[in-house]
Amino acid sequence: MLKRASLIAGRRIWDEKQIEIRIVSSSDEQGWALRFFGFVMPVDITGPEALHTVNKIMPALNVMGGTGASVKRAVSEIEASGAPELYFHRVIEHARANRMTYTPINGFPSEMRLAVEMAANEETERRALVEGELKQLEEAWREAEEIAAIADDMFLPKEITEFIEKHRPS
């Protein structure tokens, strides 16, 4: 079961610590990793675990979604990279070119954050199909729906949530 975590200025708070998440280059086959700051030492997550983690965190960072125009720009960003799995390298290059290498993911423009989420989902689907792990894909979608449901209710006043629950058809 997923638990709600606080979001303050796009940073997750666990045990009153601010955790920053960055996309960084790595020397593994994938070529990128997630680096978490806010612990004693930075923590890197690489390979399939990094992709899985991106799929979990991006819906929370993109909780407000995007306009039609920003979604179109996000799709264009992914297409310009040549393939969804290559988009993460484009993000790293953008960060270097714009002196944003120390910027957490939530500091990037909204269309880039949307594109990261889309690219991660596309890559997860591709891997699931190629590797024949459709059960994994189904589980990932279920978890994404659960996160989306939590995000949908995250900023609703308690009175509204109670009203909806009271009047929801059985």
Side-chain angles (χ1 to χ4, degrees):
M1 173 141 202
L2 296 173
K3 295 181 180 177
R4 293 181 191 219
S6 300
L7 267 180
I8 297 178
R11 295 180 181 181
R12 288 255 181 212
I13 307 297
W14 284 288
D15 299 327
E16 298 181 15
K17 292 183 181 181
Q18 291 192 353
I19 308 298
E20 288 187 2
I21 307 165
R22 301 179 193 155
I23 297 175
V24 297
S25 294
S26 72
S27 59
D28 67 352
E29 182 180 316
Q30 185 169 273
W32 64 272
L34 290 178
R35 180 164 292 158
F36 289 73
F37 290 89
F39 302 101
V40 175
M41 298 282 292
V43 175
D44 285 357
I45 299 177
T46 61
E49 292 80 18
L51 185 63
H52 181 76
T53 304
V54 167
N55 277 315
K56 300 296 176 209
I57 64 173
M58 291 314 296
L61 294 179
N62 290 328
V63 70
M64 301 306 289
T67 64
S70 64
V71 170
K72 285 180 183 177
R73 286 191 302 271
V75 169
S76 294
E77 285 273 328
I78 295 169
E79 289 173 348
S81 68
E85 67 272 14
L86 299 176
Y87 183 69
F88 297 92
H89 303 283
R90 187 176 175 93
V91 171
I92 293 166
E93 289 306 314
H94 172 84
R96 285 183 185 142
N98 293 285
R99 296 188 175 130
M100 296 174 70
T101 53
Y102 299 107
T103 302
I105 295 172
N106 60 292
F108 285 94
S110 63
E111 61 269 6
M112 288 190 83
R113 290 192 316 270
L114 287 170
V116 166
E117 184 175 356
M118 291 174 183
N121 283 322
E122 287 287 323
E123 180 60 8
T124 298
E125 289 176 6
R126 186 195 67 76
R127 286 183 183 188
L129 292 172
V130 169
E131 298 170 7
E133 297 178 352
L134 293 175
K135 184 175 182 177
Q136 175 189 4
L137 179 60
E138 183 180 325
E139 183 180 315
W141 275 110
R142 225 175 297 172
E143 289 176 359
E145 287 176 359
E146 187 176 345
I147 290 169
I150 290 170
D152 287 345
D153 293 340
M154 189 176 282
F155 299 106
L156 284 178
K158 183 180 177 185
E159 299 80 27
I160 301 293
T161 306
E162 289 172 352
F163 178 85
I164 291 170
E165 287 300 318
K166 181 179 177 183
H167 294 90
R168 180 174 282 151
S170 303

